[in-house]
Amino acid sequence: MELPHSNIISYHVTSPFFIIKFTGPRSLNSFTKDDYLYLGQLLHLADKDDSVYFTILQSCGTFFSSGANFQGIAKQAKNSNDPELSKWLKNFVATNLYVTDSFARHSKVLIACLNGPAIGMSAAIVGLCDIVYANTEKVYLRFPFASLGLITEGGTSITLPKKLGNNIAYQKLMFNEIFTHADLKDKVINKTYYIEDTEEFNKTILNELNEKIKTLYLPSCLKMKKMLQSNLKDEIVKLNSLEVNDALQFWIDGEPIRRFDQLENRNRKVKL
Amino acid sequence: MDSKYIGYSVDGPCFIIKINDPKHLNSISFEDFIYIGRLLEIANNDASIIYTIIQSTGNFFSAGGKIESVLDGQSNLDRSSSKKLTDTFGMVAKLNVLFADAFLKHKKILICCLNGPAIGLSAAMVLLCDIVYGKDNNGYLLFPFSNLGFVAELGTSVTLFEKLGYNSAMEHLIFSSPVSNKELIEKNIIVKNYNLDNTDVYNKQVILDLKDKSKKLYGPSILGMKKMIFHESTYKQNLTKSQALETSATLPFWLEGEPFKRFQQMKNKERKHKL
């Protein structure tokens, strides 16, 4: 399979681990549409590789990922002559649906090594992972949908209420408040390493995993994932489709782009 | 359509329903529960509303259904009489189906401002809300169904399990033991504790906070997210199912009369909620 290229996502396979690494610290690991598509394709690659049992997301620098590169989306939208409907089907619906589905139906154990905050779609991906490790208590997840004129995406309509609780999911989503380490501990974050250095943090996790799997029969792990996953998978798959199709109208109405422009103008004024 | 003890007002994006009978610990007659249901419908149909807020007065959120209302529903007809069956069914269903459904249909964000303990139907109403704030550490939710001789009503067979977890829901339902504010805070059911003494100050502060937060938020996003989280969820499907299941499960208990006996004992002060 010919994979599209991404400058800031790389991968390597050290069986039984398929390691995906975000390598764009200068942009706080924010992703373009193509980066997300590449990520989805890597998951499919890991899925098909029989030697792989764990798919691990690592990042670098101080941010896990600041989410979609809004500037790119806005530019693309303005330069496109497509009718609004096809523009947003192409730029939003298709990508989002594909990436979320790749995670929701992934057959290997998904582990996120959270080295810092995650925002938006990237935070949603953390919510889709089976196991999450944190480097310090400074990590957080933020879903600024209500501020950006969007709605829940990446399965968050179901993953957040299920994993963190119904009432707190409402409070944090509706008012664009952050999920702190304290909110996530024991519910999404399985273990906190208290290691500041990201490289050391990533390495420590891999060493530990290597140690842990020595005595395990790995096909058991995959079968158990399949069993556990069945509780949530169907709902995520359903919600994913509903989320993007409802969000489509928000993009067509133009509120997200309007809000992004306002944000840009404010930033420009601050700089002047 | 009016009520002496239930008021409402509109303030910006907020539709505020207020329980106002502090002398009777804000216990609510069945007519007033139905009235609250109709207010929910009004809020639901008002395009300018984003939040529907339930507030109370004094230091008790609500002691639940008024004892008199319950006893009014008692029929002295013979157990085999069809009229007794339909009358009793009507009493049970108007709360567990009609009133419950007003919550399930609601599109706005339901916010409950707990200012103290809530019991029975009122505690069940708290759990049907999307967001709950607390006034202070004192308070609890109590579901004394086993103590009063009937079964889980008004969605609690689903909401308690979903929000407290299975084992805790069992403990509190089987033994009619209070769910303390401590547990409600730990389990993120009360998402924010205001730590205030005065209920009026607290109620006002919640509204100020909501109006302030809303300035930067896009209303349709908020309602669009609730649509995804609630209206497309299996949680809602289960709540819908529970209307029928709970009604059918509780009806024989009311027909047999055990709850009436126990409510009568409460009225005569021979029985207290076991706290």
Side-chain angles (χ1 to χ4, degrees):
Chain A
M1 181 171 66
E2 190 72 21
L3 290 175
H5 182 69
S6 164
N7 286 324
I8 58 166
I9 300 177
S10 67
Y11 79 97
H12 64 277
V13 184
T14 319
S15 303
F17 304 116
F18 190 103
I19 299 162
I20 297 172
K21 186 151 189 186
F22 307 156
T23 58
R26 262 184 293 172
S27 66
L28 302 178
N29 295 299
S30 78
F31 294 145
T32 63
K33 185 185 70 159
D34 289 339
D35 291 326
Y36 278 120
L37 286 179
Y38 183 61
L39 185 57
Q41 289 211 270
L42 289 182
L43 283 185
H44 286 277
L45 205 59
D47 236 344
K48 279 191 292 191
D49 187 335
D50 290 338
S51 76
V52 169
Y53 289 84
F54 300 89
T55 304
I56 300 173
L57 301 181
Q58 294 182 343
S59 186
C60 64
T62 54
F63 242 81
F64 181 75
S65 168
S66 59
N69 179 338
F70 228 93
Q71 211 163 358
I73 298 171
K75 207 185 278 175
Q76 233 162 2
K78 278 168 194 158
N79 294 339
S80 159
N81 292 322
D82 287 344
E84 289 293 300
L85 178 64
S86 37
K87 187 197 294 179
W88 294 118
L89 281 171
K90 214 188 299 173
N91 285 309
F92 171 77
V93 173
T95 314
N96 232 291
L97 192 72
Y98 171 73
V99 176
T100 304
D101 191 74
S102 308
F103 277 89
R105 295 199 289 147
H106 194 60
S107 65
K108 319 293 172 139
V109 181
L110 272 163
I111 300 179
C113 307
L114 211 54
N115 62 311
I119 298 179
M121 185 59 192
S122 297
I125 285 172
V126 174
L128 288 165
C129 287
D130 303 314
I131 293 173
V132 178
Y133 297 127
N135 66 339
T136 67
E137 291 180 359
K138 283 184 239 165
V139 301
Y140 62 79
L141 301 182
R142 179 175 218 129
F143 304 91
F145 307 127
S147 295
L148 293 173
L150 290 167
I151 62 164
T152 31
E153 59 185 54
T156 46
S157 308
I158 178 75
T159 55
L160 298 181
K162 281 281 180 209
K163 292 189 174 184
L164 294 161
N166 199 76
N167 293 21
I168 192 165
Y170 275 92
Q171 171 76 13
K172 305 279 178 173
L173 282 169
M174 301 308 160
F175 306 126
N176 180 16
E177 292 178 3
I178 63 173
F179 286 97
T180 63
H181 179 273
D183 297 326
L184 301 167
K185 190 174 171 261
D186 301 331
K187 291 171 182 150
V188 166
I189 293 174
N190 299 72
K191 183 176 173 182
T192 308
Y193 280 80
Y194 298 97
I195 299 175
E196 293 269 354
D197 183 82
T198 299
E199 289 312 308
E200 196 191 328
F201 165 65
N202 288 338
K203 221 181 281 169
T204 307
I205 292 173
L206 271 187
N207 288 342
E208 260 193 32
L209 285 172
N210 265 314
E211 207 48 48
K212 273 182 198 159
I213 60 168
K214 273 183 191 160
T215 56
L216 305 178
Y217 183 59
L218 296 179
S220 299
C221 299
L222 285 196
K223 206 49 147 189
M224 286 194 284
K225 150 128 191 186
K226 198 177 169 194
M227 298 292 123
L228 281 171
Q229 189 184 25
S230 68
N231 291 317
L232 258 182
K233 190 177 71 182
D234 291 349
E235 286 200 77
I236 298 173
V237 168
K238 181 186 105 176
L239 256 311
N240 183 25
S241 161
L242 295 170
E243 283 174 346
V244 292
N245 280 299
D246 268 18
L248 176 62
Q249 197 55 49
F250 286 74
W251 286 102
I252 291 174
D253 290 344
E255 190 65 22
I257 295 293
R258 262 194 299 280
R259 288 188 169 238
F260 176 71
D261 285 345
Q262 281 170 5
L263 209 71
E264 279 289 276
N265 286 337
R266 226 175 293 142
N267 288 345
R268 219 171 290 140
K269 269 181 205 150
V270 171
K271 274 177 202 156
L272 288 174
Chain B
M1 184 170 106
D2 205 3
S3 161
K4 202 171 149 192
Y5 299 120
I6 308 291
Y8 76 95
S9 58
V10 174
D11 186 353
C14 304
F15 188 99
I16 305 158
I17 298 172
K18 195 166 222 166
I19 310 166
N20 194 359
D21 190 11
K23 260 191 256 170
H24 300 101
L25 302 179
N26 293 304
S27 59
I28 301 171
S29 71
F30 289 177
E31 290 68 35
D32 278 347
F33 274 117
I34 300 306
Y35 179 64
I36 292 174
R38 298 182 74 174
L39 291 179
L40 288 177
E41 204 181 324
I42 294 173
N44 216 22
N45 294 329
D46 185 336
S48 68
I49 297 300
I50 299 174
Y51 314 104
T52 303
I53 299 135
I54 305 177
Q55 299 190 327
S56 186
T57 46
N59 288 313
F60 218 94
F61 179 76
S62 170
K66 282 203 193 297
I67 297 175
E68 293 74 19
S69 270
V70 176
L71 294 177
D72 277 352
Q74 186 163 21
S75 163
N76 294 320
L77 295 169
D78 189 77
R79 176 77 168 83
S80 62
S81 134
S82 295
K83 184 160 174 15
K84 177 173 178 142
L85 180 63
T86 51
D87 284 354
T88 312
F89 178 79
M91 181 192 78
V92 170
K94 75 178 168 193
L95 292 161
N96 289 312
V97 179
L98 186 65
F99 181 58
D101 211 46
F103 281 84
L104 297 203
K105 280 188 192 137
H106 208 63
K107 291 180 272 189
K108 319 292 181 169
I109 310 299
L110 279 159
I111 298 177
C112 179
C113 301
L114 273 185
N115 60 316
I119 298 179
L121 290 170
S122 302
M125 184 168 78
V126 175
L127 289 185
L128 286 169
C129 291
D130 305 318
I131 292 173
V132 180
Y133 296 127
K135 184 177 76 116
D136 51 38
N137 287 316
N138 309 318
Y140 53 83
L141 302 182
L142 179 67
F143 305 90
F145 307 121
S146 61
N147 198 23
L148 292 171
F150 52 107
V151 303
E153 291 190 1
L154 197 53
T156 45
S157 59
V158 174
T159 53
L160 268 170
F161 163 69
E162 191 77 23
K163 296 191 173 184
L164 288 179
Y166 184 87
N167 288 23
S168 171
M170 275 297 181
E171 162 82 22
H172 293 299
L173 277 175
I174 301 296
F175 300 118
S176 289
S177 62
V179 187
S180 67
N181 268 25
K182 185 170 169 282
E183 182 171 354
L184 294 171
I185 291 167
E186 274 170 10
K187 295 201 165 148
N188 281 328
I189 294 163
I190 292 179
V191 297
K192 186 174 173 186
N193 182 3
Y194 275 77
N195 278 313
L196 289 168
D197 290 329
N198 184 296
T199 296
D200 285 336
V201 174
Y202 160 67
N203 284 339
K204 274 186 199 134
Q205 191 58 48
V206 171
I207 303 298
L208 281 176
D209 286 355
L210 281 173
K211 284 164 71 181
D212 189 48
K213 276 179 197 155
S214 296
K215 278 181 201 153
K216 289 182 187 154
L217 304 173
Y218 185 54
S221 287
I222 292 177
L223 299 181
M225 288 196 281
K226 164 140 185 181
K227 185 181 166 206
M228 287 296 122
I229 297 173
F230 184 69
H231 291 285
E232 301 291 356
S233 67
T234 47
Y235 175 52
K236 184 189 174 182
Q237 286 173 15
N238 291 337
L239 278 171
T240 307
K241 228 190 284 175
S242 77
Q243 293 180 4
L245 293 176
E246 289 178 350
T247 301
S248 315
T250 204
L251 182 64
F253 290 84
W254 290 97
L255 281 172
E256 202 188 306
E258 188 66 28
F260 294 117
K261 223 185 293 169
R262 291 179 176 234
F263 272 96
Q264 188 62 54
Q265 289 167 348
M266 266 210 311
K267 196 183 176 201
N268 303 344
K269 311 241 184 272
E270 295 157 14
R271 170 181 292 275
K272 275 187 177 170
H273 284 309
K274 198 180 96 195
L275 289 182

